[in-house]
Amino acid sequence: VAALQEEKSILLAENQILMERLNQSDSIEDPNSPAGRRHLQLQTQLEHLQEETFRLEAAKDDYRIHCEELEKETAELRQQTEELSTLAEEAQ
């Protein structure tokens, strides 16, 4: 019985030490802890990347519209070239 009581007290002390360590461990919600600072840094980086993605998607849309306009202009110029070629042949 004495041995079991001693083992129980050792386990209770070890359990208390482990609980204290758990309470003192890094928490991502605590901005003063290393894990909290890293979490905040990654969150900020994610926000910047999301903003950059949004900006790039907007630029892509602008370029797509510009490309469509240029394709339309190219088609019109080809049609004019054909008409002018026909007129040049008639003039010859």
Side-chain angles (χ1 to χ4, degrees), residues 56-74:
L56 290 172
E57 286 177 356
K60 180 186 81 168
D61 290 340
D62 291 342
Y63 284 125
R64 182 183 47 78
I65 291 169
H66 184 64
C67 183
E68 289 171 358
E69 291 171 353
L70 289 175
E71 287 173 350
K72 183 179 176 183
E73 184 180 342
T74 301

Side-chain angles (χ1 to χ4, degrees), residues 18-28 30 33-35:
L18 290 173
M19 290 299 287
E20 288 174 6
R21 283 181 47 198
L22 179 64
N23 290 334
Q24 294 173 353
S25 68
D26 292 343
S27 171
I28 62 170
D30 181 12
S33 70

Side-chain angles (χ1 to χ4, degrees), residues 26-80:
D26 292 343
S27 171
I28 62 170
E29 284 130 20
D30 181 12
N32 295 324
S33 70
R37 286 191 296 273
R38 180 69 177 148
H39 177 70
L40 185 61
Q41 179 187 19
L42 290 172
Q43 208 169 21
T44 304
Q45 184 179 7
L46 176 64
E47 290 170 3
H48 289 301
L49 290 172
Q50 286 173 336
E51 291 171 4
E52 180 71 9
T53 300
F54 179 76
R55 186 185 65 74
L56 290 172
E57 286 177 356
K60 180 186 81 168
D61 290 340
D62 291 342
Y63 284 125
R64 182 183 47 78
I65 291 169
H66 184 64
C67 183
E68 289 171 358
E69 291 171 353
L70 289 175
E71 287 173 350
K72 183 179 176 183
E73 184 180 342
T74 301
E76 291 172 358
L77 289 172
R78 283 187 179 147
Q79 183 180 0
Q80 285 180 359

